[in-house]
Amino acid sequence: MVSLRIVFLGTPAFAVPSLEVLLGSRHQVVAVVSQPDRPRGRGQHVQATPTKQIASAHGVPVLQPAKIKDESFQQTLRELQPDLGVVVAFGRILPDSLLAIPRLGMINVHASLLPRYRGAAPIQRAVLSGDAETGVTIMRVASELDAGPTFSMAAAPIPPDATSGDMETVLARLGAEQLLPIVDALADARATETPQDHAAATHAAKITKGEGAVDWGAAAPSIHDLARGLQPWPLASTTLDGARVVLRRTAAVGLDTHDALPGTIVRAHGDELTVACGGGTALQILEIQPEGRRTQTAREFLAGRHSLEGARLGT
């Protein structure tokens, strides 16, 4: 069996299972390329990226170029003489000069069933759209974004209450499971590639912070998808008496609210905090987070408050 020299390009926690699979395989990871360390968390302390932490623990050299087009960085990669590049959530578009360095090219673990959701936010866009299914694709990296031929695909259901964070965990593991058989097949010259149907492609644009503002004129299922699709970032939020509150966990419920304006709290007692939405639909808020405070259940949020029935959110 042939053992490949692999350069791994990946940065966040999503890339860690794939890196760990390669580190435990017959192949040799000769370097990990990660984005630079950046401040994280409440204290904004500079922390090593998740892939850097794993690579360092295994004694694998880590490269963190400020610019991937930098000639000295690319020369360093050439001197490593990699057979294959594996890209998992690296976060940058790779120039042709970089793709040409490994003799077998580069492959990518992409978090969608291509050609759907090419681009920066495939998981979030699938959840926001209320899709029942997503998956991972192992593909060859090409000059055009996420347009290269595919090696394999594996589907995964999206449970009705799953957040984007939940699905990232699922797909990171699924991608790692799919990756190693393809790397082995490339090593043994038995991998087959299938061109994508470019006419069926859709684009998953990068998520922006402004998308988190709840429009109560939308139907309850859409707001529910918004709340789970934007977790863990940027989160779906609204205002109550001018203060920001985050919708942490919600459910669309079968209550007719045609008599109330969208955004009106129609039930507020016990465990029930229900809001009128567009089209006479209703959304129950199960967990809510007032700004600067911890996440609370509806019962905890309502305790000690005057009745909120009739109050309007988002005004």
Side-chain angles (χ1 to χ4, degrees), residues 209-263:
K209 191 173 183 178
E211 291 182 70
V214 173
D215 173 10
W216 291 104
S222 294
I223 300 175
H224 173 63
D225 292 339
L226 184 79
R228 61 199 186 98
L230 297 184
Q231 292 198 53
W233 188 89
L235 300 172
S237 65
T238 186
T239 56
L240 176 61
D241 295 331
R244 181 175 182 262
V245 291
V246 172
L247 306 187
R248 283 288 187 178
R249 198 159 64 90
T250 61
V253 293
L255 177 68
D256 187 343
T257 64
H258 278 98
D259 293 338
L261 290 173

Side-chain angles (χ1 to χ4, degrees), residues 10 22 70-71 104 160 203 241 292 303:
L22 294 176
D70 183 85
E71 177 53 32
L104 296 176
H203 181 62
D241 295 331

Side-chain angles (χ1 to χ4, degrees), residues 70-80 101:
D70 183 85
E71 177 53 32
S72 63
F73 160 66
Q74 295 195 14
Q75 181 58 30
T76 299
L77 282 190
R78 291 188 195 97
E79 292 171 357
L80 290 169
I101 292 176

